[in-house]
Amino acid sequence: MATTRSSAAPTALASVTLEVADPEASRRFYRAFGVHEYVSLRASSAASTGFRGFTLALTVSGPATVDGFVAAAVDAGGTVLKPAVKSLWGYGGVIQAPDGTIWKIATSAKKDTGPATRDIDEVVLLLGVEDVKATKQFYVGRGLTVAKSFGGKYAEFATGDGCPVKLALYKHRALAKDLGVPADGTGSHRIVIDSTGGTFTDPDGFVWEAAAQS
């Protein structure tokens, strides 16, 4: 099916803002966890229950580094949703921040080749969507460039200039299963994607806002 280009200004992910009940408490958590450089925070009273439909995923160098990030999150008040374990694809685990945001920490390495570090190789904002192909088409129409695509299962977009976070799409129920949480949820996603291409809402209700000018 041909892609229809939008007349809207080309869009790129500029940054990620989490809406939280207590920004100062969340700021302390994310600094201790070691991911404060990748997210912004703002106060919100928006209600939500259950799975918010997204996760932020960290790719790191090896199992010891995964364990270090998981331990830092727990020490700062986070909750383990899935303990870090080996799998066919590598090693990883899932934690939930006190504000409800779910983080996945993983590596493709099954053995350590060096000491644990606090380095992060990649951060991906993974949106759980009902129809990966349709939502991918929507974002291509907004000017995003597809970097990887696996049919109706997964799509990943090229990063915007200066943005350390990559955007990707995954089936909603498959993402919830991977994270170890029920797929149902209501209310706000409690996330805003800061955009270089103006304000809009995608087919699954994820909100993009025009990034603040520096």
Side-chain angles (χ1 to χ4, degrees):
M1 181 173 65
T3 297
T4 301
R5 288 272 175 185
S6 169
S7 60
T11 295
L13 192 162
S15 59
V16 174
T17 298
L18 300 176
E19 297 187 328
V20 299
D22 186 339
E24 189 53 42
S26 291
R27 194 167 289 113
R28 290 193 297 270
F29 171 82
Y30 288 120
R31 187 170 295 279
F33 182 23
V35 299
H36 56 287
E37 296 179 0
Y38 298 94
V39 294
S40 299
L41 303 169
R42 74 181 185 194
S44 174
S45 58
S48 61
T49 61
F51 181 42
R52 294 178 184 172
F54 73 93
T55 191
L56 284 151
L58 311 181
T59 302
V60 299
S61 60
T65 298
V66 171
D67 290 340
F69 275 99
V70 171
V74 172
D75 288 346
T79 302
V80 175
L81 296 181
K82 291 181 74 174
V85 296
K86 287 184 180 179
S87 68
L88 291 175
W89 49 261
Y91 183 85
V94 180
I95 65 98
Q96 187 167 34
D99 62 44
T101 304
I102 297 174
W103 293 78
K104 182 173 182 178
I105 309 101
T107 177
S108 60
K110 296 183 180 180
K111 294 183 179 180
D112 290 307
T113 57
T117 73
R118 295 293 285 163
D119 296 333
I120 297 171
D121 296 333
E122 185 177 69
V123 180
V124 179
L125 170 60
L126 194 52
L127 305 183
V129 303
E130 290 302 317
D131 187 330
V132 171
K133 287 184 178 180
T135 302
K136 178 179 69 174
Q137 288 283 99
F138 172 85
Y139 280 121
V140 168
R142 297 291 314 189
L144 274 70
T145 300
V146 176
K148 295 179 183 177
S149 182
F150 299 95
K153 295 182 178 181
Y154 178 83
E156 185 177 288
F157 299 95
T159 54
D161 292 340
C163 181
V165 181
K166 185 178 292 185
L167 178 69
L169 310 175
Y170 198 36
K171 291 283 288 184
H172 179 96
R173 290 194 174 276
L175 179 58
K177 182 178 180 180
D178 183 57
L179 298 174
V181 297
D184 296 332
T186 61
S188 171
H189 289 304
R190 300 288 288 277
I191 190 171
V192 170
I193 306 165
D194 301 310
S195 163
T196 62
T199 298
F200 60 92
T201 302
D202 83 355
D204 294 272
F206 290 99
V207 175
W208 291 62
E209 292 185 355
Q213 298 296 315
S214 56

